[in-house]
Amino acid sequence: MPALVIVAHGSHLNPGSHDPTFTHADTVRAAGAFDEVREAFWKEEPSFREVLRTVESEEVYVVPLFVSEGYFTEEVIPRELRLEDWDVSLWDSDGTDADTATLTAADVDKTIHYCGPVGTHPAMSDVVVQRAESVTGDPDVGEGFGLAVVGHGTNRNENSAKAIHYHADRVREMDRFDEVNALFMDEEPEVDDVTDYFESEDVVVVPLFVADGYHTQEDIPEDMGLTDDYREGYETPTEVEGQRIWYAGAVGTEPLMADVLLERAADAGADVEEALDIVRKRTATPAAGD
Amino acid sequence: MNDSQLAALREAAADGVTCDGLSATQDDSGYAFVTPEVSHDGLSEEEFDALATENPWFVSNWHFWRGTSETNEAFLRWVEHASELGVRERYETLVDGLTREWGQLLVTATLGTDGERSYELRHTADAATAVTGLDSYHDPREAREISTLDDDGRYRPLKTAPSLQAGWRFGDLDGRDLVRTVEFFYPATVANWYREQVGKLDVSHFRETAERQTGIYGVIDDLDVDSVENLAEACCVDSQCLKRREWDKDEETPLDAPRGDGEFPCREPCSLVVAAARQFAVLEGEETRTYEVELTPSERSQLTELVDAVADGRVDEIREADVGDGANRYRARYLRAKRLADGEFEGLREKR
């Protein structure tokens, strides 16, 4: 049976950074589609550099638990995994539609299916919506609500914003929320001015981040005016300039993320249909029948 | 040994079995059963079964190792000192348990049902603690949580730092789960140790690792050999990490810093070392200058004691009222009150 390796950033400083990776890995493990499921990190161990030698399977699906395509998915991960003959053109992506490339790792005699990141998979849009359902406690949330998809944004990598716009566009096309906008921390339009961009009385704010940490727990709540000091906390929703802001925290902590990991592997040819059914049943919000 | 183990051996004899001194074969003349103590051939099935029943340890021992992956088998055999002890001696000793230390992990193998093995894992500091005094776990994944924080609740970014918390045990593990648990505590250590055992450990030296870096880590290639030496001394000794450093500056330039006494090898600078190297590369980019500052001889030596206390992680051990220690908090606060204003030494002058 093949193995699934989930590669994520991890942290030297924040012990909670690896939590979503462990949680989603455990969900996939329990679904039984893979004999082995292993987590690997850029900043923790096992490192990208050594993870492939810790799995017994001859065939390995590698799925990056990253938000966007770019420096990590195109350069760092393939290099550190020693994926021979990797070239980003194998993904034939314009920044949001990477799929899979089958390669060999130089230090192990294994077939590696290197998949695009979870963050740019179409199914991720459903996770954004489910995050809105989770935070409002309403499986039918949409009417009368605005939805903000928030990204870090950076001038160094144009793909970073593409992923955010991609999901904002897709959720907008679902015609479920009254308004949908992409907002950013470090570029225009900025999340600081969230109320300027929405007319709806209720706005759900979903940061497209893998783990909760400094940005999602400190920066964004303070920037949006939910609280003056993150340590004092805030209510959900919090009223800001006459609008109710439902702040969702990192989308990566949403249980349905495990589904996207499996979707990535399925797109690369893994036989995970049964596991997908199990995971969807376990991770869906109970009343979400849409 | 049980009946299904015996039946499995009988069936496997047709293809030939050899394991730890046991040889079992079958051909036209019948079965053969050989151990270091007995050797018979031309046996009927009943005679073969009778001999096997008289030597149950050899049968269950063969059965136990069947189907184990190469890496796991090497590690599990090391745990029970298989290269030093014959089957009979090993089984006698396994009743009370055979142990190995793997970093701060104490691995104990004991005899399980029908001659199989059962493994226990605990902290070396808990070697003598009663089972009832430890928190019990069985799922290997629990090791991820236990290894995240140290005894003081601080995050451990380096899994092989000698700061693993004590007070827990994993009991009644099979071989595969034992290795999985060990690898959740100390990732990839078994895999790399095995590669070393079979002469296939692939070492990436500092230079090679540095040249591979991009982005903000691209600068670490600037470190000269003395700085790499200091880096290894700062990060890669037993007081900081239990891996045994196998990498040097490059293949031709060994480093003097101790490699460590750990069982498991470190095959390349880890992400923590790379992150530290980046900081040191930035620091090494500065030129030295000469400063003048007025200090008493005791104050000067106090600075040394402060640096040492932080570098050796001794700060928390200094007793509150031990004002004889230069790194004592009241001593440090007195020095700051007397000599520092706005965080800078008063009267500090750059000598030109």
Side-chain angles (χ1 to χ4, degrees), chain A residues 10-16 18-19 21-23 25-27 29-30 35-39 42-47 49-51 53-54 56 71 75-76 79-80 82 107-108, chain B residues 69 72 141 144-145 148-149 155 157-160 176 180 183-184 187-189 191-192 195 200-202 204 208 212-217 243 266-268 270-273 275:
Chain A
S11 169
H12 284 158
L13 302 174
N14 175 8
H18 57 215
D19 289 347
T21 312
F22 288 168
T23 305
D26 287 349
T27 305
R29 276 188 187 98
D35 202 29
E36 304 167 88
V37 178
R38 198 75 174 102
E39 310 95 341
W42 173 233
K43 293 286 187 182
E44 299 176 36
E45 299 153 282
S47 62
R49 197 77 179 145
E50 299 188 333
V51 67
R53 64 188 57 192
T54 70
E56 292 172 26
Y71 179 57
E75 194 173 331
V76 174
R79 178 189 80 209
E80 297 294 303
R82 303 168 170 91
D107 62 324
V108 290
Chain B
S69 78
N72 288 9
R141 293 174 301 169
R144 295 179 309 199
E145 296 308 321
T148 294
L149 304 178
Y155 179 43
L158 185 64
K159 285 283 206 294
T160 43
R176 190 164 186 243
R180 287 178 67 202
E183 288 244 313
F184 276 128
T189 54
N192 284 326
R195 280 179 174 245
K200 287 184 181 167
L201 183 69
D202 48 338
S204 298
E208 187 189 324
R212 200 176 75 234
Q213 303 303 316
T214 51
I216 60 170
Y217 300 109
K243 279 186 189 167
C266 172
R267 48 160 303 283
E268 78 175 30
C270 66
S271 73
L272 206 68
V273 165

Side-chain angles (χ1 to χ4, degrees), chain B residues 41-62:
Chain B
D41 55 14
L43 301 166
S44 68
E45 190 175 305
E46 291 72 28
E47 289 168 329
F48 179 85
D49 284 3
L51 264 175
T53 307
E54 286 166 26
N55 294 276
W57 294 347
F58 282 95
V59 180
S60 65
N61 183 62
W62 161 77

Side-chain angles (χ1 to χ4, degrees), chain B residues 4-305:
Chain B
S4 73
Q5 291 170 350
L6 174 57
L9 179 70
R10 212 187 299 121
E11 197 177 312
D15 296 326
V17 164
T18 53
C19 175
D20 279 337
L22 168 71
S23 162
T25 53
Q26 185 201 6
D27 57 23
D28 294 344
S29 64
Y31 290 91
F33 188 94
V34 178
T35 72
E37 288 141 15
V38 297
S39 177
H40 295 282
D41 55 14
L43 301 166
S44 68
E45 190 175 305
E46 291 72 28
E47 289 168 329
F48 179 85
D49 284 3
L51 264 175
T53 307
E54 286 166 26
N55 294 276
W57 294 347
F58 282 95
V59 180
S60 65
N61 183 62
W62 161 77
H63 191 266
F64 173 71
W65 296 113
R66 228 178 33 147
T68 312
S69 78
E70 249 177 74
T71 308
N72 288 9
E73 180 172 339
F75 180 74
L76 299 175
R77 289 178 68 85
W78 175 79
V79 167
E80 65 178 58
H81 303 252
S83 64
E84 302 132 50
L85 304 172
V87 173
R88 192 172 290 273
E89 199 181 352
R90 227 185 304 156
Y91 267 56
E92 282 165 3
T93 322
L94 276 170
V95 173
D96 292 327
L98 277 160
T99 64
R100 287 282 195 184
E101 287 188 12
W102 189 255
Q104 289 183 292
L105 300 176
L106 183 70
V107 189
T108 304
T110 50
L111 272 187
T113 47
D114 296 325
E116 299 275 314
R117 312 293 197 271
S118 172
Y119 297 95
E120 194 222 48
L121 198 60
R122 59 169 74 188
H123 195 291
T124 49
D126 293 325
T129 309
V131 167
T132 48
L134 300 171
D135 294 332
S136 267
Y137 298 94
H138 188 68
D139 186 334
R141 293 174 301 169
E142 306 271 14
R144 295 179 309 199
E145 296 308 321
I146 296 170
S147 62
T148 294
L149 304 178
D150 67 14
D151 273 328
D152 297 325
R154 286 179 305 198
Y155 179 43
R156 300 173 67 242
L158 185 64
K159 285 283 206 294
T160 43
S163 56
L164 186 63
Q165 59 175 293
W168 47 267
R169 76 184 276 272
F170 287 76
D172 194 26
L173 298 170
D174 64 20
R176 190 164 186 243
D177 276 355
L178 172 75
V179 177
R180 287 178 67 202
T181 313
V182 167
E183 288 244 313
F184 276 128
F185 277 112
Y186 295 147
T189 54
V190 175
N192 284 326
W193 170 86
Y194 178 65
R195 280 179 174 245
E196 186 179 53
Q197 295 289 304
V198 295
K200 287 184 181 167
L201 183 69
D202 48 338
V203 174
S204 298
H205 294 283
F206 182 83
R207 181 61 50 220
E208 187 189 324
T209 305
E211 283 169 358
R212 200 176 75 234
Q213 303 303 316
T214 51
I216 60 170
Y217 300 109
V219 297
I220 73 168
D221 200 18
D222 296 342
L223 287 176
D224 62 19
V225 66
D226 289 341
S227 302
V228 177
E229 185 68 65
N230 293 338
L231 170 75
E233 186 184 319
C235 305
C236 305
V237 292
D238 282 348
S239 65
Q240 309 302 310
C241 175
L242 298 169
K243 279 186 189 167
R244 172 172 28 89
R245 181 177 55 79
E246 288 301 307
W247 55 269
D248 288 293
K249 177 160 185 288
D250 52 46
E251 209 161 330
E252 287 79 39
T253 320
L255 300 173
D256 291 333
R259 294 185 180 278
D261 298 323
E263 281 295 339
F264 34 91
C266 172
R267 48 160 303 283
E268 78 175 30
C270 66
S271 73
L272 206 68
V273 165
V274 169
R278 172 179 175 257
Q279 192 63 49
F280 301 149
V282 172
L283 297 177
E284 292 298 337
E286 291 181 19
E287 297 291 328
T288 60
R289 298 175 195 186
T290 305
Y291 297 93
E292 279 182 347
V293 62
E294 297 227 329
L295 295 172
T296 68
S298 293
E299 287 167 346
R300 187 199 57 77
S301 57
Q302 192 185 349
L303 291 181
T304 315
E305 289 180 65

Side-chain angles (χ1 to χ4, degrees), chain A residues 6 15-16 19 40 44 49 85 95 100 128 149 152 161 171 184 190 196 204-205 214 240-241 250 257 279 284:
Chain A
I6 303 168
D19 289 347
E44 299 176 36
R49 197 77 179 145
D85 302 323
T100 179
V128 171
V149 183
H152 190 291
V171 176
F184 300 92
E190 290 194 358
D196 293 351
V204 183
V205 177
Y214 176 65
V240 178
E241 293 174 20
M257 285 286 282
V279 166

